[in-house]
Amino acid sequence: MLEKATLKLGETTFDLPIVIGTENEKAIDISKLRDVSGYITLDSGYKNTGATKSAITYLDGELGILKYRGYPIEQLAEKSTFLEVAFLLIYGDLPKKEELDKFQADISRHTLIHEDMKKFFDGFPSKSHPMGQLSSLVVSLSSFYPESLSARQTDEEKNLTIIKLLAKMATVVSWIYKKSIGHPIIYPQNKYDYVTNFLNMTFGQRTEEIEIDPVVVSAMNTLLILHADHEQNCSTSTVRMVGSSDCNLYASIAAGISALWGPLHGGANQAVIEMLEKIKDDGGDTEKWIKKAKDKDDDFRLMGFGHRVYKNFDPRAKIIKKACDDVLNKLGISDPVLDIAKKLEEAALHDPYFVERKLYPNVDFYSGIIYRALGFPTDMFTVLFALGRLPGWIAQWKEMRENKEPIGRPRQIYIGEVNRDFSEIQNRK
Ligand code: ACO
């Protein structure tokens, strides 16, 4: 095993330490390179840059492996609940029975949000995007819990902030939905587990008790688990970057929510359904749309296809495809966009353009179809992704704090004008 890398710049050589992870991932540590050589490394989009050492999530994009704290995603999706996975990600181990009971009870105690915050929901225009609302509401929580602002919180205080955020997020998300359809909000109820409580606040009515189908609870658990963490993606790196300035948890997560909103990231689940709808309304000719996606002069991309790191398959897509079939069968829904999705997937998987570029359906290709079957409007999909990703963001923020990581501050290569003299406005050409 190599212990160091040697970089030769002209006649001078530099020894750079090698870092090896527990899954045998290898890195060259260049953190001192600029000090000793004057050079930085350049890697636009951080495609080959490790920003941290992390013990939370491991993924292998070539082999399609995803593990949280060492547990394969397939086992977690099949056997655990979202809350168990949240505990695992945040605290490092699967909870024992009494730990899980306490975690659930602690969360139940904090699901209410300050009554004054209800006015915030009223302030948004009725058609405003739920992701903008979510980001604003999450950062607003910091005003109600100013004790969270200190970068020097004790472990106990930090943990209480984490519990509050996990608890209140489900309430905030369901109230955003209720407001969007003009229905009265439903308060949380401690008799329910986390996911059932969320579904009750979202689909429940003040006029009558509703029955929540266990298939729906199970599908929701699966979706949230599959989205719970994905190591250093755009939104998670944002959370860590913002948190690295000693910024409080609420503000760091709100920044992550904004990063997730983009259609190249979490916003893809909304974009997928909008694309499938468009193809359906256009007559369902999938070949025509595949051709558009391949055309370099056309901006259109097949949404839900391709991934920055998965280059053979997305293991979450496999699990979700099955969950999708289960939900549609159980609820007796036949969705024409599912047929379009299947045709599109089939055609793309055999098309040399997609095969050569290793473009496969990602987790978002099917998640939207399930959310739709459960009754969520399209613009809520990315909000549900955020609800699922919350424990991962929290775990990453906590790890970054505990490791006392330095403030994030990338460098650049300047390529602009040099040495221009100021000219008075009347003399400018
Ligand atoms: N449709 C058509 N062509 C595509 C697609 C696509 N969905 N994705 C990538 N390509 C092509 C690119 O045009 C490029 O072609 P070229 O080599 O001829 O120039 C090549 O494949 C590589 O694409 P990049 O954009 O360089 O790949 P990158 O790793 O930077 O991007 C990304 C990954 C952003 C996910 C991209 O595949 C994409 O835009 N997909 C659609 C959006 C999407 O589904 N996002 C969700 C990601 S999963 C998540 O966030 C949970």
Side-chain angles (χ1 to χ4, degrees):
M1 195 70 80
L2 289 177
E3 281 175 6
K4 60 176 192 193
T6 307
L7 176 70
K8 191 158 184 250
L9 290 170
E11 292 309 306
T12 319
T13 56
F14 300 93
D15 287 341
L16 302 166
I18 300 267
V19 179
I20 300 181
T22 51
E23 289 271 9
N24 207 25
E25 285 176 299
K26 301 182 236 357
I28 300 167
D29 180 348
I30 51 91
S31 55
K32 303 273 186 300
L33 182 63
R34 184 171 176 278
D35 295 345
V36 294
S37 73
Y39 282 75
I40 62 163
T41 54
L42 186 62
D43 178 21
S44 179
Y46 312 118
K47 291 193 178 199
N48 197 45
T49 294
T52 188
K53 287 189 253 175
S54 176
I56 301 170
T57 289
Y58 171 72
L59 70 85
D60 183 324
E62 301 303 324
L63 298 179
I65 293 172
L66 173 62
K67 298 186 210 174
Y68 297 160
R69 302 278 188 189
Y71 295 97
I73 190 66
E74 292 79 7
Q75 289 182 22
L76 294 170
E78 188 191 335
K79 297 184 176 158
S80 63
T81 62
F82 175 58
L83 213 60
E84 265 186 292
V85 169
F87 187 99
L88 170 70
L89 287 168
I90 296 169
Y91 303 110
D93 291 304
L94 279 170
K96 297 188 194 75
K97 166 95 176 64
E98 57 282 11
E99 287 173 324
L100 185 60
D101 290 347
K102 181 174 181 314
F103 190 48
Q104 171 73 62
D106 287 347
I107 287 180
S108 297
R109 203 168 308 130
H110 292 284
T111 44
L112 284 172
I113 51 182
H114 198 293
E115 283 293 296
D116 286 351
M117 234 183 126
K118 282 188 349 202
K119 297 186 199 120
F120 293 20
F121 290 83
D122 296 334
F124 292 110
S126 59
K127 294 278 172 264
S128 69
H129 197 285
M131 281 299 275
Q133 294 187 40
L134 184 67
S135 181
S136 326
L137 289 161
V138 167
V139 78
S140 304
L141 286 169
S142 60
S143 330
F144 292 93
Y145 307 104
E147 68 281 2
S148 67
L149 303 186
S150 166
R152 268 156 272 294
Q153 283 184 306
T154 61
D155 285 351
E156 207 178 318
E157 287 164 344
K158 204 190 313 156
N159 196 45
L160 186 56
T161 303
I162 289 172
I163 295 285
K164 280 183 182 167
L165 180 53
L166 280 169
K168 291 170 201 312
M169 180 89 159
T171 312
V172 167
V173 168
S174 44
W175 287 10
I176 289 174
Y177 170 69
K178 282 293 191 205
K179 279 280 165 194
S180 76
I181 56 168
H183 283 193
I185 53 168
I186 304 286
Y187 279 94
Q189 291 195 37
N190 287 1
K191 66 178 177 180
Y192 293 129
D193 63 82
Y194 189 87
V195 169
T196 311
N197 196 28
F198 167 68
L199 290 168
N200 187 61
M201 286 188 286
T202 305
F203 297 117
Q205 297 294 343
R206 288 202 189 171
T207 42
E208 58 181 340
E209 285 256 317
I210 58 156
E211 283 281 318
I212 297 170
D213 192 326
V215 171
V216 172
V217 177
S218 162
M220 199 67 216
N221 264 298
T222 306
L223 282 161
L224 296 176
I225 290 170
L226 294 182
H227 285 93
D229 196 48
H230 213 234
E231 51 116 303
Q232 308 310 317
N233 53 79
C234 176
S235 57
T236 302
S237 303
T238 303
V239 170
R240 287 185 89 120
M241 176 70 94
V242 174
S244 77
S245 72
D246 271 357
C247 195
N248 67 80
L249 181 66
Y250 300 116
S252 307
I253 300 290
I257 292 169
S258 299
L260 187 74
W261 193 356
L264 297 188
H265 189 15
N269 56 14
Q270 172 173 348
V272 168
I273 288 290
E274 286 167 355
M275 173 190 78
L276 295 173
E277 290 276 9
K278 211 164 163 184
I279 298 176
K280 178 177 73 89
D281 295 345
D282 187 49
D285 181 357
T286 45
E287 284 304 327
K288 172 181 158 190
W289 289 83
I290 288 195
K291 218 167 145 193
K292 266 169 79 64
K294 297 192 301 190
D295 182 355
K296 288 283 154 226
D297 297 326
D298 192 324
D299 279 349
F300 175 74
R301 277 190 169 199
L302 220 48
M303 298 315 287
F305 270 78
H307 196 276
R308 174 55 66 78
V309 285
Y310 291 124
K311 298 298 178 195
N312 273 317
F313 66 94
D314 180 341
R316 303 165 302 170
K318 274 195 170 175
I319 301 168
I320 220 164
K321 193 172 174 184
K322 186 178 172 305
C324 183
D325 287 339
D326 290 351
V327 167
L328 295 184
N329 284 339
K330 177 72 203 317
L331 302 181
I333 294 173
S334 99
D335 190 337
V337 303
L338 182 66
D339 299 332
I340 305 261
K342 284 188 171 154
K343 266 168 72 183
L344 211 55
E345 183 185 1
E346 195 54 29
L349 289 179
H350 294 104
D351 190 303
Y353 174 95
F354 291 89
V355 175
E356 278 158 23
R357 287 167 182 76
K358 301 188 171 189
L359 300 169
Y360 298 87
N362 57 49
V363 65
D364 289 326
F365 192 63
Y366 282 104
S367 65
I369 296 171
I370 309 188
Y371 290 141
R372 210 159 99 118
L374 299 185
F376 289 102
T378 317
D379 63 3
M380 281 296 290
F381 294 177
T382 317
V383 173
L384 298 167
F385 187 156
L387 182 65
R389 183 54 56 88
L390 182 64
W393 286 332
I394 292 174
Q396 301 270 353
W397 180 91
K398 182 168 169 278
E399 180 181 70
M400 184 260 319
R401 274 287 158 86
E402 286 167 358
N403 291 348
K404 299 193 171 25
E405 290 187 14
I407 186 166
R409 193 355 181 140
R411 296 217 171 237
Q412 64 163 24
I413 294 294
Y414 177 70
I415 54 161
E417 300 281 352
V418 288
N419 299 337
R420 297 207 279 186
D421 281 327
F422 185 86
S423 58
E424 296 303 331
I425 195 158
Q426 64 275 15
N427 301 333
R428 288 177 206 162
K429 298 200 178 83

